[in-house]
């Protein structure tokens, strides 16, 4: 009736794609003339009146605050920026709700009666049980900044294996063979995933690691420094380290200096997250950049698909790759060779 393809009609119905205003108007007029209600919308017409606001909510949840805190506020803001841009493009209103130290059951109880189409939850500090409760809340949901390989549910996270392999590639290119890791005992799944990826990556690169070269520290700046000071004092250090995130790297570098080690002349260090402070740290920190806005946008895309479908879909798990931002905390092969020649 509108004189367009099925695909074009679908894009107009789902508020997607780059459709000219003239074409969109023809399709909308055809819809009105036919009194057409799309499949998937019929069951929701009473639940969501036609004049209701299409609202989705981002749950910024800090369970213990060791990683979801002011040091990572810019990181989380990038997630929100990505969600906001994609939500606007898809005709949703994005709400942001901050929850600090609250039980998940209480947070979900607070959603009762809210006119929400779906939720995106920050999973950084969530336990398996927390995630199961969100998955079973009855509202379409996507969880970001973590994933569970063997659990149902929709997740968008950075590809920790790819990030770690990229760091090890660079260190090997610069001639490093004794490489360690500064991990964390904090209850954050991404830290465990990065630790496991480091072990797999070392094996894939044909590198053997010394158990003493793997440190486990608290994930706050002060805690990482204190734990690193104590653990470095137990023995020697590796030539280079990958840290579980930038905050840990900052504390670790401070501890290295206290023990008389120079960065990068004696020990090279790579972080993960590429926080703004990394560029102005002394020395500027080489760090793995996570495309945070893309992760936020991807979460809204998946959530939109779930909302439009109106029926259960197989779980979706998306891992987004990143890249290495080179700065001055890693000693380059050329500099090392020049120093050896002059020595």
């Amino acid at each position: 009736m509108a004189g367009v393809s099925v695909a074009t009609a679908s894009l107009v119905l789902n508020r997607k794609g780059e459709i000219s205003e003239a074409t969109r108007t023809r399709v909308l007029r055809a819809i009105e003339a036919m009194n057409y209600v799309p499949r998937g919308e019929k069951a929701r017409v009473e639940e969501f009146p036609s004049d209701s606001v299409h609202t989705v909510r981002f749950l910024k949840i800090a369970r213990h605050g060791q990683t979801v805190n002011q040091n990572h506020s810019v990181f989380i803001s990038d997630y929100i920026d990505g969600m906001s841009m994609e939500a606007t493009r898809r005709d949703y209103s994005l709400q942001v709700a901050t929850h600090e130290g609250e039980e998940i059951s209480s947070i979900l109880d607070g959603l009762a009666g809210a006119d929400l189409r779906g939720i995106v939850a920050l999973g950084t500090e969530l336990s398996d049980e927390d995630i199961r409760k969100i998955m079973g809340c009855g509202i379409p949901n996507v969880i970001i900044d973590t994933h569970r390989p063997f659990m149902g549910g929709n997740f968008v996270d950075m590809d920790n294996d790819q990030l770690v392999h990229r760091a090890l590639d660079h260190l090997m290119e610069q001639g490093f063979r004794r490489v360690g890791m500064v991990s964390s005992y904090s209850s954050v799944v991404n830290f465990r995933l990065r630790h496991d990826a480091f072990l797999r990556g070392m094996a894939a690169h044909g590198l053997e690691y010394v158990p003493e070269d793997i440190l486990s520290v608290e994930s706050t700046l002060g805690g990482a420094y204190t734990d690193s000071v104590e653990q470095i004092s137990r023995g020697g250090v590796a030539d280079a380290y990958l840290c579980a995130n930038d905050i840990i790297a900052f504390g670790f570098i401070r501890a290295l200096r206290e023990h008389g080690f120079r960065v990068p002349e004696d020990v090279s260090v790579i972080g993960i997250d590429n926080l703004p402070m990394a560029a102005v740290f002394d020395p500027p920190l080489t760090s793995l950049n996570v495309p945070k806005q893309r992760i936020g946008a991807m979460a809204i895309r998946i959530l939109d698909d779930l909302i439009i479908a109106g029926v259960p879909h197989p779980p979706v798990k998306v891992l987004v790759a990143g890249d290495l931002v080179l700065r001055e905390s890693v000693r380059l092969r050329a500099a090392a060779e020049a120093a050896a020649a002059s020595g």
Side-chain angles (χ1 to χ4, degrees), residues 42-80:
K42 295 177 181 177
R44 299 195 308 244
V45 169
E46 293 184 3
E47 184 178 359
F48 299 109
S50 59
D51 60 348
S52 68
V53 176
H54 301 280
T55 302
V56 295
R57 183 177 296 178
F58 173 55
L59 304 178
K60 178 187 170 186
I61 304 171
R63 298 288 278 119
H64 46 71
Q66 292 186 18
T67 50
V68 183
N69 53 42
Q70 187 159 348
N71 285 330
H72 275 85
S73 60
V74 174
F75 193 100
I76 296 170
S77 293
D78 283 346
Y79 281 150
I80 295 172

mmCIF file of all heavy atoms in Angstrom, residues 42-80:
data_model
loop_
_atom_site.group_PDB
_atom_site.id
_atom_site.type_symbol
_atom_site.label_atom_id
_atom_site.label_comp_id
_atom_site.label_asym_id
_atom_site.label_seq_id
_atom_site.Cartn_x
_atom_site.Cartn_y
_atom_site.Cartn_z
ATOM 1 N N LYS A 42 0.978 -6.112 19.685
ATOM 2 C CA LYS A 42 -0.417 -6.372 20.039
ATOM 3 C C LYS A 42 -0.558 -6.761 21.499
ATOM 4 O O LYS A 42 -1.465 -6.308 22.195
ATOM 5 C CB LYS A 42 -0.984 -7.468 19.135
ATOM 6 C CG LYS A 42 -1.050 -7.045 17.665
ATOM 7 C CD LYS A 42 -1.554 -8.175 16.790
ATOM 8 C CE LYS A 42 -1.599 -7.750 15.337
ATOM 9 N NZ LYS A 42 -2.015 -8.828 14.443
ATOM 10 N N ALA A 43 0.365 -7.601 21.970
ATOM 11 C CA ALA A 43 0.263 -8.086 23.347
ATOM 12 C C ALA A 43 0.620 -6.998 24.350
ATOM 13 O O ALA A 43 0.339 -7.127 25.523
ATOM 14 C CB ALA A 43 1.179 -9.284 23.542
ATOM 15 N N ARG A 44 1.240 -5.886 23.879
ATOM 16 C CA ARG A 44 1.711 -4.877 24.807
ATOM 17 C C ARG A 44 0.891 -3.594 24.761
ATOM 18 O O ARG A 44 1.180 -2.662 25.480
ATOM 19 C CB ARG A 44 3.179 -4.540 24.492
ATOM 20 C CG ARG A 44 4.133 -5.711 24.625
ATOM 21 C CD ARG A 44 5.555 -5.196 24.656
ATOM 22 N NE ARG A 44 5.804 -4.315 23.527
ATOM 23 C CZ ARG A 44 6.677 -4.570 22.564
ATOM 24 N NH1 ARG A 44 7.366 -5.672 22.580
ATOM 25 N NH2 ARG A 44 6.853 -3.729 21.579
ATOM 26 N N VAL A 45 -0.086 -3.541 23.909
ATOM 27 C CA VAL A 45 -0.826 -2.292 23.743
ATOM 28 C C VAL A 45 -1.458 -1.854 25.054
ATOM 29 O O VAL A 45 -1.394 -0.685 25.438
ATOM 30 C CB VAL A 45 -1.887 -2.419 22.636
ATOM 31 C CG1 VAL A 45 -2.823 -1.218 22.661
ATOM 32 C CG2 VAL A 45 -1.206 -2.528 21.280
ATOM 33 N N GLU A 46 -2.058 -2.772 25.795
ATOM 34 C CA GLU A 46 -2.714 -2.407 27.045
ATOM 35 C C GLU A 46 -1.685 -2.078 28.122
ATOM 36 O O GLU A 46 -1.890 -1.185 28.931
ATOM 37 C CB GLU A 46 -3.617 -3.551 27.508
ATOM 38 C CG GLU A 46 -4.809 -3.779 26.589
ATOM 39 C CD GLU A 46 -5.728 -4.850 27.119
ATOM 40 O OE1 GLU A 46 -5.449 -5.361 28.224
ATOM 41 O OE2 GLU A 46 -6.712 -5.186 26.451
ATOM 42 N N GLU A 47 -0.582 -2.822 28.107
ATOM 43 C CA GLU A 47 0.434 -2.595 29.142
ATOM 44 C C GLU A 47 1.122 -1.257 28.942
ATOM 45 O O GLU A 47 1.467 -0.568 29.894
ATOM 46 C CB GLU A 47 1.464 -3.721 29.104
ATOM 47 C CG GLU A 47 2.511 -3.627 30.204
ATOM 48 C CD GLU A 47 3.482 -4.789 30.142
ATOM 49 O OE1 GLU A 47 3.318 -5.655 29.269
ATOM 50 O OE2 GLU A 47 4.399 -4.814 30.979
ATOM 51 N N PHE A 48 1.376 -0.886 27.684
ATOM 52 C CA PHE A 48 2.037 0.369 27.371
ATOM 53 C C PHE A 48 1.131 1.200 26.479
ATOM 54 O O PHE A 48 1.126 1.022 25.266
ATOM 55 C CB PHE A 48 3.377 0.120 26.658
ATOM 56 C CG PHE A 48 4.349 -0.661 27.477
ATOM 57 C CD1 PHE A 48 4.654 -1.968 27.150
ATOM 58 C CD2 PHE A 48 4.955 -0.089 28.578
ATOM 59 C CE1 PHE A 48 5.545 -2.685 27.904
ATOM 60 C CE2 PHE A 48 5.851 -0.812 29.339
ATOM 61 C CZ PHE A 48 6.149 -2.111 29.004
ATOM 62 N N PRO A 49 0.328 2.086 27.029
ATOM 63 C CA PRO A 49 -0.565 2.912 26.214
ATOM 64 C C PRO A 49 0.216 3.674 25.158
ATOM 65 O O PRO A 49 1.407 3.962 25.330
ATOM 66 C CB PRO A 49 -1.191 3.877 27.234
ATOM 67 C CG PRO A 49 -1.037 3.185 28.556
ATOM 68 C CD PRO A 49 0.220 2.388 28.464
ATOM 69 N N SER A 50 -0.461 4.030 24.077
ATOM 70 C CA SER A 50 0.209 4.650 22.941
ATOM 71 C C SER A 50 0.842 5.985 23.293
ATOM 72 O O SER A 50 1.766 6.430 22.622
ATOM 73 C CB SER A 50 -0.798 4.855 21.806
ATOM 74 O OG SER A 50 -1.873 5.675 22.247
ATOM 75 N N ASP A 51 0.352 6.640 24.351
ATOM 76 C CA ASP A 51 0.921 7.933 24.694
ATOM 77 C C ASP A 51 1.965 7.835 25.803
ATOM 78 O O ASP A 51 2.425 8.837 26.329
ATOM 79 C CB ASP A 51 -0.192 8.910 25.117
ATOM 80 C CG ASP A 51 -0.965 8.412 26.341
ATOM 81 O OD1 ASP A 51 -0.795 7.237 26.721
ATOM 82 O OD2 ASP A 51 -1.738 9.211 26.901
ATOM 83 N N SER A 52 2.354 6.621 26.195
ATOM 84 C CA SER A 52 3.349 6.467 27.254
ATOM 85 C C SER A 52 4.743 6.765 26.727
ATOM 86 O O SER A 52 5.008 6.666 25.543
ATOM 87 C CB SER A 52 3.312 5.052 27.830
ATOM 88 O OG SER A 52 3.767 4.119 26.871
ATOM 89 N N VAL A 53 5.636 7.166 27.616
ATOM 90 C CA VAL A 53 7.025 7.440 27.242
ATOM 91 C C VAL A 53 7.771 6.117 27.148
ATOM 92 O O VAL A 53 7.632 5.249 28.007
ATOM 93 C CB VAL A 53 7.679 8.353 28.301
ATOM 94 C CG1 VAL A 53 9.150 8.571 27.967
ATOM 95 C CG2 VAL A 53 6.952 9.680 28.384
ATOM 96 N N HIS A 54 8.574 5.963 26.095
ATOM 97 C CA HIS A 54 9.382 4.756 25.942
ATOM 98 C C HIS A 54 10.649 4.940 26.787
ATOM 99 O O HIS A 54 11.606 5.588 26.351
ATOM 100 C CB HIS A 54 9.740 4.539 24.471
ATOM 101 C CG HIS A 54 8.549 4.396 23.582
ATOM 102 N ND1 HIS A 54 7.842 3.224 23.464
ATOM 103 C CD2 HIS A 54 7.928 5.289 22.778
ATOM 104 C CE1 HIS A 54 6.846 3.385 22.615
ATOM 105 N NE2 HIS A 54 6.864 4.638 22.190
ATOM 106 N N THR A 55 10.630 4.403 27.991
ATOM 107 C CA THR A 55 11.708 4.654 28.942
ATOM 108 C C THR A 55 12.500 3.387 29.226
ATOM 109 O O THR A 55 11.936 2.311 29.440
ATOM 110 C CB THR A 55 11.142 5.196 30.274
ATOM 111 O OG1 THR A 55 10.406 6.380 30.016
ATOM 112 C CG2 THR A 55 12.266 5.510 31.250
ATOM 113 N N VAL A 56 13.833 3.517 29.210
ATOM 114 C CA VAL A 56 14.725 2.453 29.674
ATOM 115 C C VAL A 56 15.587 3.046 30.784
ATOM 116 O O VAL A 56 15.807 4.258 30.834
ATOM 117 C CB VAL A 56 15.595 1.890 28.532
ATOM 118 C CG1 VAL A 56 14.750 1.201 27.489
ATOM 119 C CG2 VAL A 56 16.448 2.978 27.889
ATOM 120 N N ARG A 57 16.047 2.185 31.676
ATOM 121 C CA ARG A 57 16.792 2.673 32.841
ATOM 122 C C ARG A 57 18.136 1.972 32.950
ATOM 123 O O ARG A 57 18.235 0.753 32.778
ATOM 124 C CB ARG A 57 15.984 2.458 34.117
ATOM 125 C CG ARG A 57 16.660 3.006 35.385
ATOM 126 C CD ARG A 57 15.780 2.820 36.606
ATOM 127 N NE ARG A 57 14.534 3.589 36.494
ATOM 128 C CZ ARG A 57 13.577 3.570 37.419
ATOM 129 N NH1 ARG A 57 13.706 2.814 38.497
ATOM 130 N NH2 ARG A 57 12.477 4.286 37.244
ATOM 131 N N PHE A 58 19.176 2.771 33.241
ATOM 132 C CA PHE A 58 20.501 2.231 33.519
ATOM 133 C C PHE A 58 20.684 2.162 35.028
ATOM 134 O O PHE A 58 20.553 3.164 35.732
ATOM 135 C CB PHE A 58 21.585 3.112 32.903
ATOM 136 C CG PHE A 58 22.986 2.711 33.286
ATOM 137 C CD1 PHE A 58 23.441 1.416 33.079
ATOM 138 C CD2 PHE A 58 23.861 3.634 33.843
ATOM 139 C CE1 PHE A 58 24.741 1.039 33.437
ATOM 140 C CE2 PHE A 58 25.155 3.278 34.195
ATOM 141 C CZ PHE A 58 25.592 1.979 33.989
ATOM 142 N N LEU A 59 20.962 0.965 35.525
ATOM 143 C CA LEU A 59 21.196 0.760 36.954
ATOM 144 C C LEU A 59 22.700 0.775 37.210
ATOM 145 O O LEU A 59 23.410 -0.184 36.912
ATOM 146 C CB LEU A 59 20.595 -0.577 37.405
ATOM 147 C CG LEU A 59 19.102 -0.784 37.115
ATOM 148 C CD1 LEU A 59 18.667 -2.174 37.573
ATOM 149 C CD2 LEU A 59 18.265 0.297 37.773
ATOM 150 N N LYS A 60 23.182 1.863 37.761
ATOM 151 C CA LYS A 60 24.600 1.983 38.128
ATOM 152 C C LYS A 60 24.740 1.453 39.549
ATOM 153 O O LYS A 60 24.424 2.139 40.527
ATOM 154 C CB LYS A 60 25.052 3.440 38.032
ATOM 155 C CG LYS A 60 26.501 3.674 38.433
ATOM 156 C CD LYS A 60 26.804 5.157 38.471
ATOM 157 C CE LYS A 60 28.163 5.425 39.113
ATOM 158 N NZ LYS A 60 28.414 6.879 39.297
ATOM 159 N N ILE A 61 25.217 0.216 39.663
ATOM 160 C CA ILE A 61 25.200 -0.487 40.943
ATOM 161 C C ILE A 61 26.616 -0.637 41.495
ATOM 162 O O ILE A 61 27.496 -1.188 40.828
ATOM 163 C CB ILE A 61 24.558 -1.884 40.789
ATOM 164 C CG1 ILE A 61 23.148 -1.756 40.205
ATOM 165 C CG2 ILE A 61 24.528 -2.620 42.114
ATOM 166 C CD1 ILE A 61 22.523 -3.086 39.816
ATOM 167 N N ALA A 62 26.829 -0.127 42.690
ATOM 168 C CA ALA A 62 28.088 -0.324 43.417
ATOM 169 C C ALA A 62 27.790 -1.204 44.623
ATOM 170 O O ALA A 62 27.133 -0.757 45.565
ATOM 171 C CB ALA A 62 28.681 1.014 43.852
ATOM 172 N N ARG A 63 28.260 -2.440 44.589
ATOM 173 C CA ARG A 63 27.981 -3.360 45.702
ATOM 174 C C ARG A 63 28.999 -3.173 46.828
ATOM 175 O O ARG A 63 28.655 -3.232 47.995
ATOM 176 C CB ARG A 63 28.001 -4.810 45.217
ATOM 177 C CG ARG A 63 26.955 -5.104 44.174
ATOM 178 C CD ARG A 63 25.541 -5.138 44.772
ATOM 179 N NE ARG A 63 25.272 -6.444 45.374
ATOM 180 C CZ ARG A 63 24.996 -6.640 46.652
ATOM 181 N NH1 ARG A 63 24.972 -5.618 47.478
ATOM 182 N NH2 ARG A 63 24.744 -7.843 47.111
ATOM 183 N N HIS A 64 30.295 -2.976 46.477
ATOM 184 C CA HIS A 64 31.310 -2.757 47.513
ATOM 185 C C HIS A 64 32.155 -1.519 47.226
ATOM 186 O O HIS A 64 32.887 -1.057 48.092
ATOM 187 C CB HIS A 64 32.224 -3.987 47.653
ATOM 188 C CG HIS A 64 32.722 -4.549 46.358
ATOM 189 N ND1 HIS A 64 33.651 -3.898 45.577
ATOM 190 C CD2 HIS A 64 32.402 -5.695 45.710
ATOM 191 C CE1 HIS A 64 33.907 -4.640 44.500
ATOM 192 N NE2 HIS A 64 33.157 -5.722 44.537
ATOM 193 N N GLY A 65 32.072 -0.969 46.028
ATOM 194 C CA GLY A 65 32.721 0.296 45.723
ATOM 195 C C GLY A 65 34.201 0.226 45.447
ATOM 196 O O GLY A 65 34.853 1.268 45.288
ATOM 197 N N GLN A 66 34.771 -0.971 45.343
ATOM 198 C CA GLN A 66 36.207 -1.063 45.093
ATOM 199 C C GLN A 66 36.575 -0.731 43.652
ATOM 200 O O GLN A 66 37.716 -0.364 43.367
ATOM 201 C CB GLN A 66 36.717 -2.461 45.463
ATOM 202 C CG GLN A 66 36.675 -2.724 46.951
ATOM 203 C CD GLN A 66 37.323 -4.048 47.327
ATOM 204 O OE1 GLN A 66 38.084 -4.618 46.567
ATOM 205 N NE2 GLN A 66 37.006 -4.542 48.502
ATOM 206 N N THR A 67 35.615 -0.859 42.736
ATOM 207 C CA THR A 67 35.878 -0.451 41.350
ATOM 208 C C THR A 67 34.845 0.561 40.856
ATOM 209 O O THR A 67 35.161 1.412 40.027
ATOM 210 C CB THR A 67 35.877 -1.671 40.400
ATOM 211 O OG1 THR A 67 34.686 -2.435 40.624
ATOM 212 C CG2 THR A 67 37.080 -2.544 40.637
ATOM 213 N N VAL A 68 33.611 0.457 41.322
ATOM 214 C CA VAL A 68 32.593 1.442 40.949
ATOM 215 C C VAL A 68 32.677 2.582 41.957
ATOM 216 O O VAL A 68 31.980 2.615 42.973
ATOM 217 C CB VAL A 68 31.187 0.809 40.930
ATOM 218 C CG1 VAL A 68 30.156 1.841 40.460
ATOM 219 C CG2 VAL A 68 31.152 -0.400 40.008
ATOM 220 N N ASN A 69 33.581 3.510 41.685
ATOM 221 C CA ASN A 69 33.811 4.625 42.595
ATOM 222 C C ASN A 69 34.247 5.846 41.783
ATOM 223 O O ASN A 69 34.238 5.817 40.549
ATOM 224 C CB ASN A 69 34.860 4.261 43.662
ATOM 225 C CG ASN A 69 36.142 3.726 43.040
ATOM 226 O OD1 ASN A 69 36.627 4.261 42.035
ATOM 227 N ND2 ASN A 69 36.706 2.671 43.625
ATOM 228 N N GLN A 70 34.645 6.910 42.460
ATOM 229 C CA GLN A 70 34.959 8.157 41.767
ATOM 230 C C GLN A 70 36.121 8.000 40.797
ATOM 231 O O GLN A 70 36.172 8.691 39.766
ATOM 232 C CB GLN A 70 35.273 9.255 42.789
ATOM 233 C CG GLN A 70 35.439 10.621 42.142
ATOM 234 C CD GLN A 70 35.248 11.759 43.119
ATOM 235 O OE1 GLN A 70 34.775 11.537 44.226
ATOM 236 N NE2 GLN A 70 35.597 12.957 42.719
ATOM 237 N N ASN A 71 37.055 7.117 41.078
ATOM 238 C CA ASN A 71 38.189 6.936 40.177
ATOM 239 C C ASN A 71 37.764 6.431 38.801
ATOM 240 O O ASN A 71 38.472 6.624 37.813
ATOM 241 C CB ASN A 71 39.201 5.957 40.784
ATOM 242 C CG ASN A 71 40.003 6.587 41.900
ATOM 243 O OD1 ASN A 71 40.255 7.786 41.901
ATOM 244 N ND2 ASN A 71 40.395 5.782 42.881
ATOM 245 N N HIS A 72 36.613 5.746 38.751
ATOM 246 C CA HIS A 72 36.119 5.213 37.490
ATOM 247 C C HIS A 72 34.860 5.946 36.999
ATOM 248 O O HIS A 72 34.156 5.439 36.121
ATOM 249 C CB HIS A 72 35.815 3.718 37.623
ATOM 250 C CG HIS A 72 37.023 2.853 37.408
ATOM 251 N ND1 HIS A 72 37.906 2.573 38.416
ATOM 252 C CD2 HIS A 72 37.503 2.243 36.292
ATOM 253 C CE1 HIS A 72 38.874 1.802 37.941
ATOM 254 N NE2 HIS A 72 38.661 1.590 36.671
ATOM 255 N N SER A 73 34.602 7.140 37.530
ATOM 256 C CA SER A 73 33.393 7.858 37.140
ATOM 257 C C SER A 73 33.398 8.215 35.661
ATOM 258 O O SER A 73 32.364 8.162 34.984
ATOM 259 C CB SER A 73 33.221 9.113 37.990
ATOM 260 O OG SER A 73 34.330 9.993 37.818
ATOM 261 N N VAL A 74 34.567 8.582 35.118
ATOM 262 C CA VAL A 74 34.648 8.916 33.692
ATOM 263 C C VAL A 74 34.393 7.679 32.850
ATOM 264 O O VAL A 74 33.719 7.740 31.813
ATOM 265 C CB VAL A 74 36.025 9.522 33.368
ATOM 266 C CG1 VAL A 74 36.173 9.746 31.861
ATOM 267 C CG2 VAL A 74 36.214 10.836 34.108
ATOM 268 N N PHE A 75 34.936 6.553 33.296
ATOM 269 C CA PHE A 75 34.731 5.278 32.602
ATOM 270 C C PHE A 75 33.233 4.995 32.468
ATOM 271 O O PHE A 75 32.735 4.696 31.381
ATOM 272 C CB PHE A 75 35.417 4.175 33.411
ATOM 273 C CG PHE A 75 35.568 2.860 32.699
ATOM 274 C CD1 PHE A 75 36.765 2.509 32.110
ATOM 275 C CD2 PHE A 75 34.516 1.962 32.633
ATOM 276 C CE1 PHE A 75 36.919 1.290 31.461
ATOM 277 C CE2 PHE A 75 34.648 0.750 31.987
ATOM 278 C CZ PHE A 75 35.858 0.409 31.400
ATOM 279 N N ILE A 76 32.500 5.109 33.565
ATOM 280 C CA ILE A 76 31.062 4.815 33.563
ATOM 281 C C ILE A 76 30.298 5.882 32.792
ATOM 282 O O ILE A 76 29.301 5.584 32.115
ATOM 283 C CB ILE A 76 30.564 4.671 35.007
ATOM 284 C CG1 ILE A 76 31.250 3.465 35.668
ATOM 285 C CG2 ILE A 76 29.042 4.505 35.046
ATOM 286 C CD1 ILE A 76 31.025 3.345 37.155
ATOM 287 N N SER A 77 30.764 7.127 32.853
ATOM 288 C CA SER A 77 30.115 8.185 32.085
ATOM 289 C C SER A 77 30.164 7.896 30.592
ATOM 290 O O SER A 77 29.222 8.212 29.852
ATOM 291 C CB SER A 77 30.779 9.538 32.372
ATOM 292 O OG SER A 77 30.550 9.946 33.706
ATOM 293 N N ASP A 78 31.254 7.288 30.137
ATOM 294 C CA ASP A 78 31.345 6.921 28.721
ATOM 295 C C ASP A 78 30.305 5.863 28.367
ATOM 296 O O ASP A 78 29.711 5.894 27.279
ATOM 297 C CB ASP A 78 32.747 6.408 28.395
ATOM 298 C CG ASP A 78 33.755 7.531 28.259
ATOM 299 O OD1 ASP A 78 33.333 8.688 28.149
ATOM 300 O OD2 ASP A 78 34.970 7.246 28.248
ATOM 301 N N TYR A 79 30.091 4.909 29.259
ATOM 302 C CA TYR A 79 29.007 3.938 29.046
ATOM 303 C C TYR A 79 27.675 4.673 28.870
ATOM 304 O O TYR A 79 26.895 4.385 27.960
ATOM 305 C CB TYR A 79 28.890 2.987 30.232
ATOM 306 C CG TYR A 79 29.897 1.865 30.290
ATOM 307 C CD1 TYR A 79 30.309 1.346 31.515
ATOM 308 C CD2 TYR A 79 30.414 1.287 29.136
ATOM 309 C CE1 TYR A 79 31.214 0.296 31.588
ATOM 310 C CE2 TYR A 79 31.313 0.246 29.198
ATOM 311 C CZ TYR A 79 31.715 -0.248 30.423
ATOM 312 O OH TYR A 79 32.607 -1.288 30.482
ATOM 313 N N ILE A 80 27.424 5.623 29.784
ATOM 314 C CA ILE A 80 26.156 6.350 29.762
ATOM 315 C C ILE A 80 26.024 7.169 28.477
ATOM 316 O O ILE A 80 24.942 7.236 27.875
ATOM 317 C CB ILE A 80 26.029 7.242 31.009
ATOM 318 C CG1 ILE A 80 25.961 6.372 32.274
ATOM 319 C CG2 ILE A 80 24.801 8.147 30.914
ATOM 320 C CD1 ILE A 80 26.016 7.157 33.573
#
